[in-house]
Amino acid sequence: MKKEDGAEGGKQPAGAVTFTPLRSIDLVTQISRLITEAIVTGRLKPGDRLTELQLSKELGTSRAPVREAARLLENQGLIVSSPRRGFFVRTLTADEMREIYELRICLEMHAAGIAMDRISDEEIDALARQVARLHASANDGSIEKQIFEDFAFHRMLCKAGGNARLLKVYDELAAEMSVGITLIGKLYDNPHRIAESHDPLLKAIEARNKPELLEALHYHISAAQKEVVALFDGLETNR
C-alpha cells in the first residue's frame, strides 16, 4: 500500500497501512468494508495506491477478490483506476465540493417546495422515523451509517415531490457528496450535531410550513457546505 509513485510488490514501505487476514467466505464485501474503513479513519489518504498484490498477501486471499472489491468501491466513487497503474483513493478538491453543494441547494430547495404541496401524512411519519434513526446512529459511532441515514432523509424528502427525473439527478449528486464526506471521515466533530441539525427541518415539515422549511433547509445545507469545504481546504493545505 503506497503513494501513487510506488511500484507494485516488493518491500512494504515504512508507515504503510496493514490489514488482518480474512477467514470468511464473503471476501469481496469484507475487503471493500476494510478499505472503506481505512479511508474513513484516515489510514488511507486521497491519492494513496491500493496494490492488489500487497493487499492479497496481507489479507491471506488471492488477488481476484481484492480486484472485485476495488471495482465495487470504484463504482461507489471512493477509488479510481488508472490503466496499467492500478487503483487509487479518490481525490476531491474543496472547489469541487463547493460546486456540488451549490447545486444541491438549488436542487433540494426546489424538490422540497414541490414536496410540501403534496406530501402525505404517511411520508411525514416516515421522515420523523428517519430523524429518529439519525439520532440513534449518533450513538453507534459508525460514520458510514450516519452518512447513509443523513442522505436517506434528504432523499425521502426529494422523493415526496413525486418528480422521478429530479430524484435521479439527486441520487447522482448525493453519490458525490457522500464520497466527499466519507473521504474526510466526518462532517462535524460531534456526531449528534448531524442529527440535531435535522430537527428544525422535521418541525417545519410536520407543521406543513413551506416558507419555514425552505429557510431551515437553506441554512442546513449551507452550514454543511461551509463545514465540508473548510475540511477539504485543510486537507489540501496539509498535502
Side-chain angles (χ1 to χ4, degrees):
M1 180 91 37
K2 54 183 70 178
K3 288 290 184 182
E4 182 171 329
D5 58 355
E8 185 174 276
K11 280 190 175 182
Q12 185 177 356
V17 176
T18 59
F19 295 90
T20 303
L22 297 175
R23 297 181 180 178
S24 178
I25 297 175
D26 192 5
L27 294 178
V28 174
T29 299
Q30 288 203 55
I31 292 169
S32 64
R33 286 176 177 172
L34 283 172
I35 295 172
T36 299
E37 181 183 3
I39 294 172
V40 168
T41 58
R43 293 163 58 216
L44 283 173
K45 307 292 185 184
D48 278 353
R49 185 180 183 184
L50 302 177
T51 306
E52 289 179 21
L53 179 60
Q54 187 63 49
L55 273 172
S56 63
K57 287 180 178 179
E58 293 175 7
L59 299 171
T61 72
S62 68
R63 295 175 66 171
V66 173
R67 189 178 302 112
E68 287 184 50
R71 291 297 182 192
L72 177 63
L73 293 176
E74 183 181 22
N75 290 336
Q76 295 174 0
L78 275 177
I79 64 177
V80 294
S81 62
S82 177
R84 296 183 296 279
R85 299 175 68 201
F87 295 93
F88 300 87
V89 179
R90 184 178 178 185
T91 299
L92 285 169
T93 67
D95 284 340
E96 285 177 315
M97 292 307 296
R98 183 181 294 107
E99 291 174 356
I100 289 170
Y101 271 85
E102 286 174 355
L103 180 55
R104 179 187 178 184
I105 289 173
C106 296
L107 186 68
E108 200 165 335
M109 291 281 287
H110 179 67
I114 298 173
M116 290 307 291
D117 291 332
R118 59 186 299 170
I119 195 166
S120 67
D121 291 340
E122 291 76 17
E123 287 170 323
I124 292 176
D125 290 341
L127 285 165
R129 290 192 296 272
Q130 188 58 34
V131 171
R133 291 189 189 97
L134 264 169
H135 281 281
S137 67
N139 296 317
D140 294 341
S142 170
I143 296 171
E144 273 188 282
K145 184 176 180 181
Q146 194 164 41
I147 292 172
F148 174 82
E149 301 295 0
D150 181 4
F151 282 108
F153 172 89
H154 289 276
R155 188 182 192 278
M156 290 165 65
L157 182 57
C158 288
K159 187 177 180 180
N163 188 319
R165 291 184 181 274
L166 188 152
L167 186 62
K168 182 177 182 295
V169 174
Y170 179 80
D171 283 341
E172 294 171 356
L173 190 65
E176 286 196 279
M177 285 187 288
S178 61
V179 166
I181 295 172
T182 301
L183 287 174
I184 56 178
K186 63 178 180 178
L187 179 53
Y188 298 116
D189 291 329
N190 182 353
H192 291 278
R193 284 184 61 193
I194 296 180
E196 292 167 357
S197 67
H198 290 75
D199 291 338
L201 305 180
L202 180 60
K203 179 183 176 182
I205 292 169
E206 290 179 329
R208 295 180 178 273
N209 189 325
K210 184 194 290 189
E212 182 180 334
L213 172 62
L214 295 181
E215 181 179 356
L217 186 61
H218 190 280
Y219 176 83
H220 173 83
I221 301 175
S222 296
Q225 178 191 41
K226 182 179 179 180
E227 295 281 348
V228 169
V229 171
L231 287 168
F232 267 87
D233 277 330
L235 282 178
E236 291 174 9
T237 300
N238 294 327
R239 284 174 192 163

